[in-house]
Amino acid sequence: MTAADMTATIIVLFAAAVVALECIWAVLSLKHLSCVAKFSTDLTEPNEPVIQSVTIKNTWFFPIMYCGALYQYTKGFGIAEDERNSELLSAGIGGAPKFEYTTYLKPHTRKTVKVSFIFAKRGKYSFGEHIIEAGDVLGISSKTRRRIRRDSIVVMPYRCKDQAILRTLGGFMGDVSVRRFIYEDPILTIGCRDYTGKEPMKNISWQHTARAGKVLVNQYDHTAESNVCIVLNIDGDSRFDIERCYEITRSVCEELEKRKIAYEFFTNADLEGPLGNKFSWVEEGLGRRHFGTIMYGLGCSRCICRHPFGWLIEQCKKRRRVALSYIVITPELSADAKLRLNELQAISEFELCVLEGHASSQEGAA
C-alpha cells in the first residue's frame, strides 16, 4: 500500500469516526433533553387568552449545540393576538396552530418561552403531537423523539344571554334570598358536628370547640336551612338546545355563588372530572372549587344523555330534604316528562324554577 493510499484510508476512517461520534453525541443529547409545556390553567373561559409556557431543559454536563421543540395542536386551538406568537406559532395540519422553537443550551440550563391561545367554543382540547429534536456539535445529524400528548385544557360554557331566562332566574333568586334571610339567625340547634371548611364562620360553636379540642359547628334543624338543588336534564334531541342548557347552568351557578347560597347538583349528562371519572351528582357546597368541578364537567361533556329524565327525578326524590328549592334546567319537555316533573313538585315545599334552553333564545354564542 502506497503512502497516498494509507493517507486516504486514514482520512476515510477518521471521517467515519467523526460521523459515528456525532451520531452518538446526538443520541446522548436527546437522552438528556426534556421539554415540558404547561397551561396557566386547566379550566378557562371561552375567547379569553390562555398562556402556555414551554420549557426546554438540558440535564447533561455538556452543551447541546442544537435543540428544538415542535407541538402540533389539534383543531379548536386559536392563536391569540400577541407579539410573541408571530415568531413561534404558525398554521399547521388542517389549519391548527403549530409551535416551533430552536435554541442552544449550556450544560444544566433551561429556556422558557410563552405563547397564548384562545378557544371559541366549549369543549375539551387535547394538545396533540409533541416532537423534540437534538443535534450534534457540527450539525451533521440530529435525532428526534415523538410523542402524543395526553394533556388537555377544558373550556367552560358561555354565560346565558337570554333576558327572559335571566329575569325568571332573578325573581326566583329573590324569593330564595328572602327565605334565607328569614333563617339567617336560626335558633333550632339540634347539636354539633365536625367543621368541613364549607360552613360560614358564624356557624362555629366556640364553646363546644374549646371543650372538644377540635372545630365544631352548630347543626340546625332542616327547617332552618334554605339551599338550592340544580337539576340539569339533557334528555332531548337537539344538541343546540343542550348547549343552551349548559349556558343557563353556568349563569345559575354564578348567581348562587354571588349570593353565597350553597347548592347541590344533579344531571343525566356525560360529565367527567380531571381524572376521567364520570359523575352525575355533586354534593352541596359553595366556592371556587365547587363551581370549578361543575364547570369542568360541563366543558368535557359531549352532549350525551346517560339516563332518562325519569331517572333524574328518582335521584332527587331519594335525596329529598326539607326547605330545599329546585332549579330545573332542561330542553323542551315532552308530555310524559312534564308528568315526571310534577312528581318533583310534589316533594318540594316551594314552586319549582323551570328554565328551558332553546337554541333560538341565545344570541352571540359560539
Side-chain angles (χ1 to χ4, degrees):
M1 180 181 293
T2 63
D5 292 338
M6 181 70 70
T7 302
T9 301
I10 293 174
I11 292 174
V12 170
L13 291 175
F14 178 77
V18 169
V19 171
L21 181 61
E22 290 293 285
C23 290
I24 294 173
W25 188 280
V27 171
L28 292 176
S29 296
L30 184 63
K31 182 179 178 180
H32 292 87
L33 185 66
S34 64
C35 184
V36 178
K38 291 184 177 180
F39 274 104
S40 54
T41 179
D42 60 352
L43 178 64
T44 185
E45 295 268 0
N47 287 329
E48 288 290 332
V50 182
I51 296 176
Q52 184 185 48
S53 301
V54 181
T55 301
I56 302 179
K57 182 179 180 181
N58 176 16
T59 61
W60 205 12
F61 49 80
F62 286 112
I64 299 178
M65 308 306 294
Y66 169 83
C67 58
L70 184 148
Y71 284 82
Q72 177 59 62
Y73 298 94
T74 55
K75 186 178 179 182
F77 279 77
I79 301 176
E81 294 183 2
D82 193 325
E83 292 182 358
R84 56 192 168 192
N85 288 344
S86 59
E87 298 180 359
L88 300 171
L89 295 174
S90 60
I93 299 174
K98 179 177 65 175
F99 169 89
E100 290 182 284
Y101 177 65
T102 58
T103 187
Y104 155 80
L105 286 176
K106 296 178 181 179
H108 296 289
T109 59
R110 68 183 70 189
K111 288 185 179 179
T112 300
V113 294
K114 295 182 179 181
V115 291
S116 54
F117 299 92
I118 57 173
F119 303 88
K121 294 183 178 180
R122 177 197 67 81
K124 183 177 182 179
Y125 298 88
S126 300
F127 288 168
E129 192 175 46
H130 161 214
I131 301 173
I132 60 174
E133 181 180 17
D136 56 36
V137 177
L138 300 179
I140 297 176
S141 65
S142 65
K143 298 295 181 181
T144 60
R145 184 167 66 238
R146 183 186 304 260
R147 291 178 180 174
I148 300 296
R149 293 289 305 275
R150 303 298 181 186
D151 311 53
S152 60
I153 185 169
V154 175
V155 182
M156 66 177 71
Y158 281 84
R159 293 183 178 89
C160 176
K161 297 180 182 179
D162 186 344
Q163 294 303 313
I165 292 289
L166 296 178
R167 284 193 296 270
T168 302
L169 177 62
F172 180 80
M173 289 297 185
D175 294 339
V176 173
S177 296
V178 168
R179 293 196 294 269
R180 188 167 177 260
F181 178 77
I182 293 173
Y183 301 127
E184 188 73 10
D185 187 20
I187 59 174
L188 301 177
T189 305
I190 60 174
C192 291
R193 56 181 171 82
D194 291 339
Y195 177 69
T196 65
K198 298 178 182 178
E199 299 83 0
M201 292 289 291
K202 65 181 182 182
N203 285 3
I204 296 177
S205 173
W206 298 109
Q207 183 178 3
H208 290 90
T209 295
R211 290 177 180 175
K214 60 180 180 178
V215 181
L216 299 175
V217 295
N218 290 321
Q219 186 173 4
Y220 304 117
D221 189 82
H222 286 300
T223 58
E225 299 177 359
S226 181
N227 295 331
V228 170
C229 177
I230 301 174
V231 182
L232 171 61
N233 170 47
I234 66 165
D235 191 0
D237 298 328
S238 172
R239 181 186 180 94
F240 297 103
D241 288 351
I242 294 173
E243 290 290 347
R244 298 298 85 81
C245 289
Y246 288 171
E247 292 162 6
I248 295 170
T249 302
R250 174 180 175 174
S251 293
V252 169
C253 291
E254 287 183 333
E255 187 64 26
L256 290 167
E257 291 285 343
K258 178 181 176 181
R259 295 174 182 260
K260 304 297 182 183
I261 299 174
Y263 55 100
E264 192 175 3
F265 180 77
F266 283 100
T267 185
N268 54 8
D270 58 326
L271 273 56
E272 66 178 49
L275 301 179
N277 52 304
K278 305 291 185 181
F279 66 90
S280 58
W281 171 71
V282 179
E283 65 178 327
E284 184 180 277
L286 192 66
R288 181 178 178 181
R289 185 174 181 179
H290 184 69
F291 175 78
T293 297
I294 298 174
M295 292 303 106
Y296 192 97
L298 293 176
C300 293
S301 172
R302 294 175 292 171
C303 297
I304 298 174
C305 181
R306 298 173 59 199
H307 303 284
F309 182 55
W311 175 89
L312 199 55
I313 297 298
E314 291 300 322
Q315 299 306 305
C316 294
K317 291 166 67 176
K318 288 178 182 179
R319 291 188 58 84
R320 60 175 297 186
R321 287 182 291 145
V322 180
L324 186 64
S325 303
Y326 290 93
I327 300 178
V328 180
I329 304 167
T330 177
E332 186 174 1
L333 293 171
S334 64
D336 291 340
K338 289 179 180 178
L339 292 177
R340 298 308 304 266
L341 193 63
N342 291 336
E343 297 179 22
L344 185 61
Q345 179 63 78
I347 67 171
S348 177
E349 297 178 45
F350 313 110
E351 191 72 22
L352 300 181
C353 177
V354 181
L355 305 175
E356 292 191 349
H358 302 286
S360 59
S361 66
Q362 179 81 358
E363 297 178 359

